[in-house]
Structures are given as structure tokens and as C-alpha cells.
Amino acid sequence: MPSSVPSFAELLGQCERSAVHLELRDSYASPDRFEAWKRGERINWETREAWWYPFHQMISDAVARGVTVRRARVVSEPVSEYIRWEHYVTHANIAAGEEVRWLPRRRATSIPLPGNDFWLFDGALLRVHHFSGDGVVVEDEITADPQTVKLCSTAFEAVWERAIPHHLYQI
């Protein structure tokens, strides 16, 4: 059955001011790149073609249009192997123009957090990710419900305020 949820590319393409992403999991389904990293393979950051994906181009294009793109990750410490890998590949997100911060989960106790990862576009439209226990996206949901948007926006900003900028976060 086809999804009625607009694609990420469509939502980011329509975005005018801001796109924020909150990640709350310590692992997601293992992409091939993670498996390669676990085997010791590393990215040649000087050869952009080796790591620049369509996602990075979408982010770069949005930033060039004046959209601020921020990502905050709430992580358990010591971090999982997956988070070690995410920290490593975040170089690509930064190169594309994202701002990325990390919040140790122990510093998030007093923040009311939503139960799911999400993207919030222009402070008004949420794309909520629903994952299986194994970290596979089961479905995405779109909502503009004002209470849900407010909860997610407030949670993101609280995480962002406490979080550590990527270049300062040591794992």
C-alpha cells in the first residue's frame, strides 16, 4: 500500500526557515556502511564522491536556500558501537551544512521528551518516525497537531540548549 506521507525530500524542499531532527535511539537498523566500519573500513573524507549521498545534497541545497538544519542526538553513555559510528560519519552531516549536537541521556532526565524520533519543519509540521525494536523504520507519520508540535519543538530546544556541539563531544 503506498504511503500518503510526503517524502523527506518533498518536506525539506518546501521548508523555508528551519528543519530540526531529534534522535533518541542508541542504535538503528545496521546499514552496510556501519558493518563496513565495524570491519575496520574507513571513509576517505578527501574523496567526496565516496561519502556524499543524495541526502547530503538535499541538506546542502536547503542550507543554501537559507534553511537552518539542526540535529540533536540523545545518547546513553558509555555510547554504543552504533553511536561511535554515527559520531564518525557525522563529518558528512557537518560538511552538508547541518549543525549537530549530542546530549548525554543522564542530562536529559528533566526534559519532557516525545516517545519517537522526528523532523520538525518550519516549527509547524512534524514527520514522526516509528521504529521496530530492531531499529527499522516501520512507518512515518505526519502531523501538524498544535499540542504535539509544541511538545516536540519545546523538547528539541531544551535538548539543543543542554547538548554539546559535535566538535566538542568526545566519545
Side-chain angles (χ1 to χ4, degrees):
M1 182 164 97
S3 173
S4 61
V5 174
S7 71
F8 176 78
E10 291 174 83
L11 294 169
L12 188 61
Q14 296 167 3
C15 191
E16 296 177 358
R17 297 177 315 282
S18 66
V20 301
H21 186 38
L22 183 61
E23 296 180 3
L24 301 167
R25 297 178 57 93
D26 286 318
S27 68
Y28 296 85
S30 296
D32 293 339
R33 296 182 306 139
F34 174 52
E35 297 303 322
W37 180 83
K38 288 194 311 186
R39 290 189 304 270
E41 295 177 29
R42 296 299 179 257
I43 297 168
N44 178 354
W45 293 115
E46 294 183 19
T47 306
R48 184 172 155 171
E49 296 77 30
W51 54 268
W52 191 262
Y53 291 94
F55 171 81
H56 301 113
Q57 190 61 53
M58 285 188 288
I59 297 297
S60 181
D61 292 346
V63 170
R65 289 194 327 269
V67 176
T68 300
V69 181
R70 298 183 293 158
R71 178 185 304 256
R73 293 177 170 138
V74 178
V75 296
S76 300
E77 292 181 322
V79 299
S80 67
E81 189 173 22
Y82 188 93
I83 294 300
R84 285 186 186 286
W85 173 74
E86 261 195 347
H87 189 271
Y88 171 72
V89 297
T90 295
H91 174 86
N93 299 77
I94 301 294
E98 278 191 45
E99 298 173 50
V100 179
R101 292 187 182 180
W102 303 81
L103 182 65
R105 194 172 307 281
R106 71 180 179 278
R107 294 174 53 189
T109 303
S110 63
I111 300 172
L113 293 170
N116 299 295
D117 291 12
F118 64 83
W119 278 92
L120 176 59
F121 300 95
D122 289 330
L125 186 65
L126 277 169
R127 182 182 175 111
V128 179
H129 303 300
H130 298 286
F131 292 93
S132 70
D134 294 332
V136 175
V137 174
V138 175
E139 70 175 325
D140 286 326
E141 170 189 359
I142 295 292
T143 184
D145 173 69
Q147 289 180 314
T148 307
V149 167
K150 182 179 179 181
L151 169 74
C152 291
S153 177
T154 301
F156 180 87
E157 295 304 331
V159 167
W160 189 258
E161 183 178 306
R162 293 182 191 184
I164 302 162
H166 175 72
H167 71 280
L168 296 175
Y169 185 64
Q170 302 297 313
I171 58 170

